Amino acid sequence: MTKISLTNKVLTELPSKYCRIILTEDKANWHRLVETKDGQLEYRMGAGKRKSATARSYRTLVRSIVMAAKSHQLENIALHLGPMGCPSLEEKGSEWFFRTLAENLGLASYEFNKYKTKKKGGYELKEILVCGVNTPAEKRSFSAGLTIAESANYTRDIANTSGDDMTPSLLAKSAQSALKGTKAQVKILDQKAIKKLKMGLLEAVGKGATDGPKLIVIEYWGAGKPTKNDKKKAPVALIGKGITYDTGGLNVKPSGAMHEMHMDMSGGAAMIGAMRAIAKMGLKKNVVAVIPAAENSVSADSMRAGDIATSMSGKTVEILHTDAEGRLVLADGMTYAEKFYSPKVMLDTATLTGASLVALGQHSSAVMTKDKALQDKLVELGEDTGDLMWPLPLWDEYKASLKSYRADVSNIATNFARWGGCIEGGTFLSFFAPKKIPWAHIDIAPRMDSIPSDKLAKGATGEPVRLLVKFVEEY
Ligand code: BES
Ligand code: MN
Ligand code: ZN
């Protein structure tokens, strides 16, 4: 693991083992590794014109520094980055600047080596030393950024782990170890408890697997536990899809579309990561995360296409397609959160549909809500943190396609049409969403996997942990 730390020294005072990163105003693809006369290594990197820097280009620049260090197998690097001279970054303020710096150094230095016997021929980026973070406020922002990055990297570890090593009970264990030593409490409900609570959708999805379903609940009362009717202290509720492996069920996925489905708990893993960061930062906020966890497996005990299950809300659901399982477990998760926690706002995140990638490509998650203010907030925070969000409509017109003639609602369009599949997922959830508080559904399937322009390790991105933390701080 890369150590990221601060120093009060200036670049030129550092020991010679550090390769100094020197930014120039050349184009971003310009770079030279040079050895100065006194034997000092310098890596000169084009960062583009300072006056045209943006939040987006700044995040990419920070990540590029780390990626460049790795590609040149540099073990110790030192850098000094300040917002001076970049009008749009100065506008965002130094708190944002240094938090973003730490977040992106942390995210870019992450590697997933769990299953490698040889660790990259012995090379590792050992240390990033950061100069120029001086005032207590700057240091606090930087350290918050590191905590958030570590937590998002924890999320990535969970998501990158194979399905066999991250079953529902192992996911529950990961949640417990993520929050160990913090003030957050983790409760695990097993299959029996799920049955008793009449969470028939979570039960249906999980019943085909050897390791049965679990409901993972994480409570954090940073503002003090609310007494009954204490609406001011009502928590933010975060519901995350925790499908530890998605075969598609009896409507089994074709080869080529299944092997990455160990990441189908990315929504739940993001909630675990966000709760870890929130608890470690000691935010004075109340937050509850609910993660319905199950493996969507193929066996004689699996739910069948055409089965009808009764949700915790009492509504019956015709399971027309066993591969539309995420929405089923989330529906019960949302009802559970509403019933036991009376939250003031609810967000759910899920790798819900392949259709979200068809709509948006792989650069942004999709957000669906009827609350315009909440939508604007999420899009704004996406731009602010880098966990980009873009809205899709959640109009009542879409509801008609889910009208089942046998049950209250069907989990896919009854005519099997694939149009607007991402919205269809959100629309199904809207039948189970709380009616009296704002709710937003975030389909993070587009951001499940990193792409080269992210300048991150291959695999899970850890999104949208940064956004969730900021949301809880600001809502
Ligand atoms: N987990 C998948 C969605 C997914 C696909 C996420 C690709 C990330 C990458 C989800 O459970 C699923 O299978 N959705 C179906 C829904 C359909 C049956 C209505 C899909 O997208 O095809
Ligand atoms: Mn599925
Ligand atoms: Zn799924």
Side-chain angles (χ1 to χ4, degrees):
M1 234 184 28
T2 309
K3 185 175 148 208
I4 302 174
S5 43
L6 297 174
T7 176
N8 291 327
K9 296 206 172 92
V10 297
L11 270 186
T12 48
E13 291 171 351
L14 298 177
S16 63
K17 70 170 180 181
Y18 292 102
C19 175
R20 300 169 188 166
I21 308 294
I22 310 291
L23 297 176
T24 73
E25 287 202 319
D26 293 288
K27 288 214 177 76
N29 57 6
W30 187 91
H31 47 99
R32 297 277 185 282
L33 186 61
V34 296
E35 196 176 336
T36 58
K37 273 193 212 115
D38 51 355
Q40 175 67 46
L41 268 187
E42 270 185 20
Y43 189 71
R44 300 189 191 150
M45 251 180 104
K49 293 270 175 263
R50 275 172 175 262
K51 67 171 193 315
S52 53
T54 62
R56 291 188 184 200
S57 72
Y58 170 57
R59 283 189 292 260
T60 307
L61 171 68
V62 173
R63 292 175 178 194
S64 303
I65 293 172
V66 181
M67 289 319 226
K70 285 189 199 172
S71 72
H72 289 278
Q73 304 217 332
L74 303 171
E75 292 189 332
N76 307 80
I77 63 167
L79 53 97
H80 184 149
L81 263 180
M84 296 82 68
C86 314
S88 71
L89 299 186
E90 273 179 353
E91 203 176 281
K92 293 193 87 68
S94 79
E95 195 182 317
W96 178 90
F97 187 88
F98 290 109
R99 173 160 162 171
T100 304
L101 174 61
E103 280 175 355
N104 289 283
L105 289 175
L107 289 168
S109 53
Y110 172 86
E111 306 255 343
F112 183 67
N113 292 323
K114 187 170 175 161
Y115 299 107
K116 294 273 191 197
T117 51
K118 278 202 195 97
K119 312 279 178 212
K120 284 221 167 155
Y123 165 73
E124 192 190 20
L125 173 57
K126 288 199 184 112
E127 187 185 0
I128 303 173
L129 193 57
V130 182
C131 307
V133 185
N134 298 319
T135 68
E138 289 170 359
K139 286 182 178 163
R140 266 198 308 278
S141 308
F142 191 87
S143 126
L146 282 188
T147 302
I148 293 164
E150 267 169 31
S151 302
N153 289 343
Y154 198 98
T155 294
R156 293 162 87 184
D157 271 342
I158 295 177
N160 282 328
T161 299
S162 304
D164 199 37
D165 299 328
M166 193 54 73
T167 61
S169 37
L170 294 171
L171 181 63
K173 279 213 177 99
S174 292
Q176 281 165 329
S177 46
L179 290 141
K180 215 163 126 191
T182 72
K183 286 192 178 142
Q185 292 140 33
V186 184
K187 286 190 207 165
I188 313 294
L189 280 64
D190 63 6
Q191 195 158 10
K192 235 174 96 188
I194 288 165
K195 251 199 164 106
K196 211 170 153 204
L197 282 162
K198 300 195 163 135
M199 304 181 84
L201 302 182
L202 176 56
E203 196 196 336
V205 173
K207 69 184 181 165
T210 313
D211 192 31
K214 291 270 189 300
L215 188 75
I216 304 166
V217 183
I218 309 168
E219 298 178 2
Y220 176 73
W221 306 112
K225 206 168 173 165
T227 47
K228 266 214 158 82
N229 302 321
D230 187 357
K231 289 212 169 116
K232 264 199 210 129
K233 285 189 177 171
V236 171
L238 305 175
I239 323 297
K241 171 173 172 181
I243 298 298
T244 59
Y245 194 78
D246 184 10
T247 64
L250 294 182
N251 289 120
V252 67
K253 286 183 186 292
S255 55
M258 194 193 291
H259 63 284
E260 286 198 319
M261 284 299 126
H262 61 280
M263 291 200 260
D264 210 18
M265 21 53 61
S266 297
M271 295 320 188
I272 294 171
M275 292 304 280
R276 182 188 183 277
I278 289 162
K280 295 225 168 195
M281 289 162 78
L283 297 187
K284 294 194 168 44
K285 303 281 180 179
N286 290 339
V287 197
V288 177
V290 175
I291 302 154
E295 182 176 341
N296 191 19
S297 195
V298 181
S299 86
D301 295 322
S302 297
M303 60 180 174
R304 306 159 193 82
D307 277 358
I308 292 175
T310 305
S311 65
M312 186 184 188
S313 74
K315 284 197 176 81
T316 56
V317 178
E318 181 181 26
I319 301 164
L320 270 188
H321 205 304
T322 63
D323 200 8
E325 83 299 337
R327 59 197 74 179
L328 299 175
V329 303
L330 284 172
D332 274 349
M334 287 182 354
T335 305
Y336 180 92
E338 186 182 14
K339 182 165 177 205
F340 291 107
Y341 294 100
S342 313
K344 60 177 174 184
V345 61
M346 186 182 285
L347 301 181
D348 77 79
T349 64
T351 48
L352 207 72
T353 65
S356 62
L357 284 89
V358 176
L360 290 175
Q362 286 186 278
H363 292 285
S364 171
S365 292
V367 50
M368 282 145 272
T369 176
K370 285 192 167 181
D371 191 292
K372 182 67 169 54
L374 182 57
Q375 173 180 304
D376 291 347
K377 186 74 197 161
L378 290 169
V379 172
E380 177 204 312
L381 289 181
E383 201 60 58
D384 189 74
T385 60
D387 292 341
L388 300 183
M389 302 277 141
W390 200 251
L392 289 175
L394 202 58
W395 298 322
D396 286 338
E397 283 85 340
Y398 289 105
K399 284 185 173 168
S401 69
L402 299 176
K403 206 165 161 38
S404 160
Y405 78 95
R406 299 173 62 221
D408 296 336
V409 61
S410 150
N411 74 331
I412 60 159
T414 48
N415 64 358
F416 285 77
R418 288 156 45 237
W419 316 137
C422 180
I423 298 170
E424 177 190 280
T427 302
F428 176 84
L429 292 175
S430 74
F431 284 93
F432 301 88
K435 299 284 175 283
K436 291 184 185 134
I437 58 159
W439 159 72
H441 161 58
I442 304 172
D443 193 333
I444 60 168
R447 301 296 305 144
M448 183 177 84
D449 249 323
S450 72
I451 48 174
S453 61
D454 291 330
K455 313 246 177 253
L456 293 176
K458 275 207 171 106
T461 63
E463 292 191 20
V465 169
R466 290 170 295 173
L467 172 134
L468 292 167
V469 174
K470 202 83 214 259
F471 180 81
V472 168
E473 284 177 286
E474 291 192 1
Y475 192 80

